[in-house]
């Protein structure tokens, strides 16, 4: 019985070690992908920061810019029409609560404003909403694993077309922000329309504008064109930020799995050694008992021979 148990434990130890090889590999893959994505994001951020600064500059030149991308003036009717919400999830799980947190943010928006069209990136989100019979306006079938600016522009064009035509009054993006190397946070951010105060703040260390700018064909047209690039940039940043967060969460999950595996291996090793020692002790006892019995038998034979 004891030997059968030790064999079973040896098989369990082998199984845990094989699993640990997989979790270690997944950790390394996630780490590599996250580093590359962060480099891509860092390379494009200066352009979008400059774009935001230019929008701020326009607002300091003229405060009476009229644009559909900004909230109506105070006193106008509330924007309670149809909303659009882009939800960014991963293609797979094994990333802690990464996907669940993003979906929870989307469901919160749906509960507050049921008239919301969902646009989903990531197989996990597509499957979740399908299984829960929550209608999705459109799924972007390309993978969440390779965020690119071209894909961000495609998504942006679809959402802006709905916004420009008046089919939706607000656009939200649900994504995950990697706050630091330890924590990430699922966010629901209103992308459109903007509050003017988002762009009205001054830029530090900027020289004062002394010569008026000329805008062709108009300041509104220039602003509209810039906003399209800004929206694409925001969506691209959200895709990459989510991608980094996903792999950061997966690294944490795999690290925890590795630690649990080490603890399990230690416990199994102790259990295996105890059973092995018990089996050895039992075997020694049986050999000793057999030797004693053999000695007694030989003693009896010797005595019988003498008599």
């Amino acid at each position: 019985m004891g030997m059968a148990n030790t064999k079973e434990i040896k098989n369990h130890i082998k199984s845990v070690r094989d699993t640990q090889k997989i979790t270690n590999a997944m950790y390394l893959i996630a780490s590599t992908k996250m580093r590359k994505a962060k480099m891509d994001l860092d390379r494009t951020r200066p352009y979008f920061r400059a774009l935001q600064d230019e929008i701020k500059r326009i607002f300091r030149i003229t405060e009476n810019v009229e644009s559909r991308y900004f909230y109506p003036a105070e006193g106008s009717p509330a924007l309670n029409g149809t909303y659009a919400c882009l939800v960014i999830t991963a293609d797979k799980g094994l990333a802690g609560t990464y996907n669940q947190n993003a979906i929870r943010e989307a469901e919160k928006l749906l509960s507050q404003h049921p008239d919301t069209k969902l646009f989903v990136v990531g197989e996990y989100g597509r499957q979740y909403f399908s299984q829960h019979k929550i209608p999705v306006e459109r799924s972007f079938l390309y993978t969440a694993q390779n965020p690119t600016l071209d894909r961000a522009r495609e998504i942006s064009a679809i959402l802006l077309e709905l916004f420009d035509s008046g089919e939706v009054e607000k656009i939200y993006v649900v994504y995950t922000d990697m706050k630091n190397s330890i924590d990430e946070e699922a966010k629901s951010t209103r992308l459109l329309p903007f509050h003017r105060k988002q762009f009205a703040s001054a830029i530090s260390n900027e020289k004062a504008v002394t010569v008026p700018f000329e805008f062709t064909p108009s300041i509104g047209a220039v602003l509209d064109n810039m906003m399209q690039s800004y929206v694409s940039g925001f969506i691209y940043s959200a895709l990459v930020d989510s991608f980094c967060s996903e792999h950061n969460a997966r690294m944490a999950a795999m690290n925890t799995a590795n630690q649990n595996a080490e603890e399990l291996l230690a416990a199994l090793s102790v259990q295996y050694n105890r059973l092995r020692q018990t089996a050895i002790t039992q075997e020694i006892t049986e050999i000793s008992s057999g030797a004693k019995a053999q000695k007694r038998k030989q003693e009896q034979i010797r005595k019988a021979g003498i008599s």
Side-chain angles (χ1 to χ4, degrees), residues 39-100:
M39 285 171 61
D40 290 344
L41 186 59
D42 290 342
R43 279 197 293 264
T44 57
R45 268 184 175 150
Y47 168 74
F48 294 110
R49 286 200 187 110
L51 198 59
Q52 189 173 20
D53 288 347
E54 290 307 312
I55 295 168
K56 288 179 181 179
R57 194 195 306 270
I58 289 174
F59 271 93
R60 283 201 306 284
I61 295 165
T62 172
E63 296 179 357
N64 301 317
V65 179
E66 291 301 324
S67 171
R68 62 185 175 279
Y69 297 132
F70 290 84
Y71 262 100
E74 289 185 20
S76 302
L79 299 177
N80 290 321
T82 304
Y83 294 176
C85 180
L86 174 67
V87 186
I88 302 170
T89 64
D91 289 326
K92 55 189 176 183
L94 297 176
T97 58
Y98 169 82
N99 288 299
Q100 294 90 326

Side-chain angles (χ1 to χ4, degrees), residues 19-243:
T19 302
Q20 202 173 25
K21 288 176 185 175
I22 295 169
T23 58
N24 276 324
M26 289 180 72
Y27 179 94
L28 292 172
I29 291 167
S31 173
T32 302
K33 286 184 174 181
M34 187 189 74
R35 281 200 305 273
K36 182 182 181 299
K38 282 184 76 174
M39 285 171 61
D40 290 344
L41 186 59
D42 290 342
R43 279 197 293 264
T44 57
R45 268 184 175 150
Y47 168 74
F48 294 110
R49 286 200 187 110
L51 198 59
Q52 189 173 20
D53 288 347
E54 290 307 312
I55 295 168
K56 288 179 181 179
R57 194 195 306 270
I58 289 174
F59 271 93
R60 283 201 306 284
I61 295 165
T62 172
E63 296 179 357
N64 301 317
V65 179
E66 291 301 324
S67 171
R68 62 185 175 279
Y69 297 132
F70 290 84
Y71 262 100
E74 289 185 20
S76 302
L79 299 177
N80 290 321
T82 304
Y83 294 176
C85 180
L86 174 67
V87 186
I88 302 170
T89 64
D91 289 326
K92 55 189 176 183
L94 297 176
T97 58
Y98 169 82
N99 288 299
Q100 294 90 326
N101 289 343
I103 286 168
R104 196 177 298 122
E105 283 297 316
E107 288 182 325
K108 194 186 300 180
L109 178 63
L110 283 170
S111 68
Q112 294 167 353
H113 195 87
D115 187 11
T116 298
K117 296 177 183 287
L118 286 182
F119 296 80
V120 182
V121 170
E123 187 60 32
Y124 192 100
R126 287 194 285 272
Q127 292 293 335
Y128 178 89
F129 291 120
S130 173
Q131 289 166 8
H132 289 78
K133 304 293 188 291
I134 299 171
V136 171
E137 185 72 16
R138 174 160 177 173
S139 291
F140 297 102
L141 295 177
Y142 39 70
T143 175
Q145 290 297 299
N146 185 26
T148 65
L149 197 47
D150 284 341
R151 289 174 179 175
R153 287 192 183 109
E154 288 174 20
I155 297 170
S156 173
I158 291 164
L159 295 177
L160 280 173
E161 186 179 347
L162 289 172
F163 185 83
D164 292 342
S165 66
E167 287 184 59
V168 300
E169 287 192 341
K170 291 183 183 180
I171 297 176
Y172 284 83
V173 180
V174 170
Y175 69 103
T176 309
D177 175 40
M178 197 170 86
K179 298 196 296 184
N180 51 52
S181 60
I182 300 171
D183 297 320
E184 57 270 332
E185 178 187 10
K187 288 184 172 183
S188 176
T189 300
R190 189 192 66 256
L191 179 54
L192 289 176
F194 297 104
H195 274 303
R196 292 170 187 267
K197 64 183 179 183
Q198 283 179 257
F199 294 98
S201 60
I203 307 166
S204 59
N205 301 323
E206 187 190 352
K207 294 179 181 178
V209 178
T210 55
V211 180
F213 287 102
E214 290 186 7
F215 298 92
T216 304
S218 68
I219 193 168
V222 171
L223 187 60
D224 285 354
N225 186 266
M226 292 173 73
M227 282 300 180
Q228 291 176 34
S229 296
Y230 180 77
V231 169
S232 296
F234 186 96
I235 290 173
Y236 175 68
S237 295
L239 287 169
V240 179
D241 201 358
S242 295
F243 182 72

Side-chain angles (χ1 to χ4, degrees), residues 279-289:
I280 290 169
T281 303
Q282 186 177 342
E283 195 173 333
I284 291 171
T285 303
E286 287 170 358
I287 292 169
S288 178
S289 298

